[in-house]
Structure formats: C-alpha cells, structure tokens
Amino acid sequence: MNKTIDIIKNRCSLRKYDSKMIKDEDLDCIIASALRAPTAGNMMHYSIIVIKEEKMKERLSVTCDNQPFIKEAPVLLVFLADYQKWFDYYRINDVIGFCEKNGEVFHGPTEANLFLAIEDALLAAQNAVIAAESLGIGSCYIGDIMENYEVHKELLNLPRYAFPVALLCLGYYSENYKKTIRKRFPKEFVVFNETYQYLNDDKIKEMYADFDSRFTIDNNYGAKNYAQYHYTVKTNASFTQEMARSIKEVLKIWNGSTDF
C-alpha cells in the first residue's frame, strides 16, 4: 500500500487529544505543507491564524457552538478566505487610477472572489490535515467558525475581506487510541461519468440505508425516520440558522464595493 494513500484512508476526526504541546518542528511542517497546496492563479487567497493561547481557545470553544473539546486541542488553525491583501496591493499600486485612465471600471471583491478564496483556504487546510496525520497528529474540522461572524471578526481582528471558513483542531493521538473509521457513501452514488446522474427514489433509499438502519423511533423530536431526525438536529438546528444568517451578512460585504 502506498503510504500516502494509507494515511488518507485511515484518517478520522480526532476530538480527544494527548495533552502535550505540538513540537515546533511538527507545526512548521504542517504549515509548510499547507502553503504548498494548489491555489488559483498562484495567488494564495488565504491566511492562517495559529492559536495556542488558552483564553482564545476557551472563547472559540463557546462561539463555535459550545464544543468543549476545542479548548483541549493544543493548537488551533483558523483558515481564512482572504482577499484583503490583494485588494490592498491593488490600492497601493493605484490600480483604480490605472482603470480610470483606460476608461475601465474598477471592481472591488465580489462573491466570486470569496468563493475562489474559500477554495484556496480549504485546499490549504486539507494539506495541513494530511501532513498532520502523517506525523501522528490528529485533527478535526470545525465549520462552526462561520457562525457569529461579527464576534469572530472582532475576536480575530479580521479585516473587511477576510472570512473564517475552517477551524482546525490539532493534537497528538493519545497512547493506545483506537480509531473509528466511519463509512462513506458507496462510489456508485457519488462518482458519475461525464455528466451528473440523478438518483431515483430507490437509489436514494439505497444510498441512505446505513443511516436508516441506525435510526430509533425512541427519540426526543417525534421523528418517524432518520431523514426527519437529521433535518431537526442538523439542517433546522439553531446553529445552522445562525450560520445562514452570518453568511448572508458576509455576502453583503463582498459586493464589488471599492471601499478600502
């Protein structure tokens, strides 16, 4: 088995960490690997914030949907979709004046720039995850960093065109830790040739059969099946609604404005 493929296949989210701090050389390797990720136009539309301070981890464990294990991770990495540096680069080199001279309209960052920056940031984050795993360092993605935008903007001192898209918890595996590798959807339901293949009802039921097998009618929500249960605890949950609100606020900013 190829070692890299083996690492990818056996990686799982880690939420319980050994208490020792991550070695500087290991963290440097993880960061260096993140910086080698593919990036649109070699522009690196992202930034990474390294967090080790206990008070900051404690705060983020609350603002990211009250998940106590976040504060137990020795190191947190916040990956930002960041167009601010390019926007500032354009400003200090008078790109606006250049556009005016050539009879063109200068466009500030738009939703398209945000989406491209999100792609860059997540590619870098996944490089960090695989590098960490190869060093015996587990990780867990926290998407809840996208919630409470105004709070995180102030807490992390974020500029106008930087948005946190992923929080990564990092820590060594505890001795004798036993991984639980969760199932993924079978390839036939996810990978299509040439064009998208719409799944009929029977295929949808087959795809979600493993989830359905774990459902119990004895639940606190009155759900009659797993789909109803999942919708209640995930899709319609308060944290999901907060994330939707937060992202709507962010999109108001990425509107092509030339505000510096």
Side-chain angles (χ1 to χ4, degrees), residues 72-230:
E72 304 301 330
V75 174
L76 304 178
L77 299 180
V78 180
F79 287 82
L80 307 172
D82 184 2
Y83 202 81
Q84 187 67 49
K85 289 172 286 190
W86 276 97
F87 194 50
D88 289 341
Y89 179 60
Y90 292 157
R91 172 182 55 80
I92 65 177
N93 286 281
D94 193 27
V95 173
I96 292 180
F98 173 77
C99 289
E100 291 175 348
K101 181 180 177 180
N102 289 281
E104 298 176 355
V105 176
F106 175 78
H107 299 284
T110 66
E111 300 91 339
N113 297 121
L114 172 60
F115 275 59
L116 202 62
I118 289 172
E119 287 185 8
D120 271 13
L122 292 179
L123 287 167
Q126 187 61 11
N127 257 29
V129 164
I130 300 305
E133 192 73 18
S134 75
L135 297 169
I137 296 170
S139 58
C140 185
Y141 276 106
I142 307 295
D144 302 283
I145 192 69
M146 293 189 290
E147 299 172 33
N148 298 308
Y149 168 67
E150 298 85 352
V151 173
H152 290 142
K153 182 178 186 297
E154 181 178 356
L155 184 65
L156 299 171
N157 192 35
L158 301 181
R160 183 177 180 88
Y161 297 113
F163 176 59
V165 296
L167 171 64
L168 199 60
C169 300
L170 295 174
Y172 293 106
Y173 285 91
S174 300
E175 188 175 357
N176 299 321
Y177 181 84
K178 301 211 180 283
K179 291 184 177 181
T180 300
I181 307 299
R182 296 190 178 186
K183 290 183 179 179
R184 298 295 195 246
F185 289 129
K187 176 181 175 181
E188 63 181 294
F189 302 125
V190 180
V191 181
F192 309 130
N193 292 322
E194 309 304 338
T195 61
Y196 184 87
Q197 300 297 307
Y198 191 86
L199 302 179
N200 61 32
D201 289 0
D202 287 339
K203 287 293 184 182
I204 289 290
K205 290 177 181 178
E206 187 179 348
M207 178 178 176
Y208 289 94
D210 185 60
F211 287 94
D212 290 338
S213 70
R214 288 180 264 147
F215 173 73
T216 174
I217 199 69
D218 184 20
N219 61 82
N220 295 327
Y221 306 101
K224 299 294 191 273
N225 54 55
Y226 185 82
Q228 295 176 6
Y229 174 81
H230 185 274

Side-chain angles (χ1 to χ4, degrees), residues 26-36 46 48 50 77 79 128 131:
D26 285 349
L27 185 56
D28 287 344
C29 180
I30 292 168
I31 297 296
S33 298
L35 298 179
R36 291 305 308 164
Y46 64 88
I48 305 169
V50 182
L77 299 180
F79 287 82

